[in-house]
Amino acid sequence: MHNDDSTELDSFDYRILQRWQADTRLPAKTIADEIGLSVAAVQRRLKRLRDSGVIRREVAELEPRPLGLAVTCVVMVDLERESAADLERFRRKMLAAAEVQQCYYVTGQSDFVLIVLVSDMEAYDAFTRRTLLDDTNVRSFTTHVTLERVKTGAGLALRDKP
Amino acid sequence: MHNDDSTELDSFDYRILQRWQADTRLPAKTIADEIGLSVAAVQRRLKRLRDSGVIRREVAELEPRPLGLAVTCVVMVDLERESAADLERFRRKMLAAAEVQQCYYVTGQSDFVLIVLVSDMEAYDAFTRRTLLDDTNVRSFTTHVTLERVKTGAGLALRDKP
DNA sequence: GGTGAAAAACACGATAA
DNA sequence: TTATCGTGTTTTTCACC
């Protein structure tokens, strides 16, 4: 499904999403009690939110360190040409590159912003060589090595609804 | 819990994590069949991975659009002073700001990189005023408005182990 | 929306290899 | 460390109101 239709979200949906986006291990019963709905109603809404695409997916957030990914870099990439085909080519490359956790196409002096996770600087070097330096359409890029991941994740700021 | 001890991860753990970080709705049975373990073993390992902190949390990834968060900005922030106290103060402010989805303390010309999600540019303006312009320790910041979120999420590149 | 029953998934202990 | 079995519990799914 990807039913992007006129999904009106009410206050209950927001309160469910607030909890669900923080912890999918919560039993529906807990949420139901907190917001004053039945368990079935909460689960019905969760299903609806999944089917409508509001909930993209339910995933586990892993700790990079113990998995050997100690280095996070923010990379600003400037392209030479920006034709639709060029952009699409670069897009695909980023989607295919496992080291690229996130990729944004942006306005401003740079064209793309990447969040790259690698095991060490050697791996980062290999990544840039393979993905950026060898690309004749990459005019330049600047690297910011992360000293601390102050805040991470994909959480959204949900306001309550009246 | 937070047992960061000598948790050696083997090939089974990696294969479990690969699937679990993509979809926590998969029944343990499915994973068990795929990797050739019993259901109980998979569940035991998941518990161990949670307790040891390799799995930080299990969350729902939401779609920003239907929730009224149509604008994503990448913000590069340059601070005036960088004493421990100054950094800590800014850190806390970022953690408290709901609009800030991600915050990295980095090397390079900028000091902090923010991923900011807001409903529109007016909200972004309010955010910068409140959080950056009013802060006497913020020397300058540059904004990159996102035209496309090419790749998002908190997924890690897990290689298989021998 | 709610209720309740059926089904599925999970948790845990015991045993054995 | 596994697998398997058995049991009880929890959670989800679904038909029906």
Side-chain angles (χ1 to χ4, degrees):
Chain A
M1 321 329 189
H2 229 252
N3 235 332
D4 213 19
D5 60 9
S6 60
T7 312
E8 278 298 308
L9 300 177
D10 65 9
S11 165
F12 285 125
D13 290 319
Y14 272 86
R15 298 175 71 187
I16 291 171
L17 288 172
Q18 277 174 349
R19 290 157 177 81
W20 202 243
Q21 82 161 337
D23 185 4
T24 51
R25 301 204 77 213
L26 292 181
K29 172 92 170 84
T30 306
I31 299 176
D33 291 345
E34 283 177 8
I35 70 179
L37 277 182
S38 70
V39 175
V42 170
Q43 270 157 354
R44 243 197 314 262
R45 281 165 181 266
L46 280 174
K47 175 166 172 47
R48 198 166 51 75
L49 291 164
R50 276 190 278 259
D51 291 347
S52 67
V54 175
I55 294 177
R56 283 176 56 193
R57 46 185 204 155
E58 282 136 282
V59 302
E61 261 185 40
L62 309 184
E63 195 63 47
R65 280 288 163 75
L67 293 165
L69 296 171
V71 176
T72 301
C73 294
V74 181
V75 190
M76 318 293 292
V77 181
D78 186 19
L79 291 191
E80 199 79 53
R81 302 171 302 280
E82 288 187 67
S83 74
D86 290 319
L87 290 178
E88 182 58 18
R89 215 178 49 75
F90 191 77
R91 252 177 49 90
R92 284 184 193 282
K93 201 194 243 181
M94 294 304 105
L95 289 173
E99 297 94 334
V100 178
Q101 182 191 61
Q102 299 168 55
C103 172
Y104 303 91
Y105 176 46
V106 299
T107 63
Q109 287 145 349
S110 304
D111 298 318
F112 284 88
V113 178
L114 318 178
I115 307 288
V116 177
L117 271 75
V118 286
S119 54
D120 49 36
M121 288 313 292
E122 191 179 323
Y124 181 69
D125 196 51
F127 163 76
T128 59
R129 210 177 303 275
R130 170 170 56 80
T131 315
L132 302 175
L133 287 168
D134 281 0
D135 190 325
T136 59
N137 196 34
V138 172
R139 188 202 310 271
S140 66
F141 65 93
T142 64
T143 300
H144 301 261
V145 180
T146 293
L147 302 175
E148 186 193 357
R149 299 159 50 91
V150 178
K151 198 179 199 179
T152 62
L156 307 185
L158 301 185
R159 77 198 181 296
D160 279 328
K161 262 218 175 165
Chain B
M1 328 327 183
H2 231 253
N3 236 331
D4 213 21
D5 62 9
S6 58
T7 312
E8 278 298 309
L9 300 177
D10 65 9
S11 166
F12 286 124
D13 290 319
Y14 272 85
R15 299 174 70 187
I16 291 171
L17 288 172
Q18 277 174 350
R19 289 157 177 79
W20 203 242
Q21 82 160 337
D23 186 3
T24 51
R25 302 206 77 215
L26 292 178
K29 171 90 170 89
T30 306
I31 298 177
D33 291 345
E34 283 178 6
I35 70 179
L37 277 183
S38 72
V39 175
V42 170
Q43 276 165 347
R44 228 177 307 129
R45 281 165 181 267
L46 279 174
K47 175 169 172 47
R48 200 165 50 75
L49 291 165
R50 277 191 277 257
D51 291 346
S52 67
V54 175
I55 295 177
R56 283 177 58 193
R57 46 184 204 156
E58 282 136 282
V59 303
E61 261 185 41
L62 309 184
E63 196 63 48
R65 280 288 164 74
L67 293 164
L69 296 171
V71 176
T72 300
C73 294
V74 181
V75 190
M76 318 295 290
V77 181
D78 186 18
L79 291 192
E80 200 80 53
R81 302 170 302 279
E82 287 188 67
S83 75
D86 289 320
L87 290 177
E88 182 58 19
R89 213 179 49 75
F90 192 76
R91 252 177 49 89
R92 284 184 194 281
K93 201 193 242 180
M94 293 305 106
L95 289 172
E99 297 95 334
V100 178
Q101 183 191 60
Q102 300 168 54
C103 172
Y104 303 91
Y105 175 46
V106 299
T107 65
Q109 288 148 349
S110 304
D111 298 317
F112 284 88
V113 177
L114 318 178
I115 307 289
V116 177
L117 271 76
V118 286
S119 55
D120 49 37
M121 288 313 291
E122 190 179 324
Y124 182 69
D125 196 52
F127 163 76
T128 59
R129 209 176 302 276
R130 169 169 57 80
T131 315
L132 301 176
L133 288 168
D134 281 359
D135 190 323
T136 58
N137 196 35
V138 171
R139 190 203 307 273
S140 65
F141 65 92
T142 63
T143 300
H144 300 261
V145 180
T146 292
L147 302 175
E148 186 193 357
R149 299 160 50 94
V150 178
K151 199 179 197 177
T152 62
L156 306 185
L158 300 185
R159 75 197 181 296
D160 279 329
K161 261 218 176 166

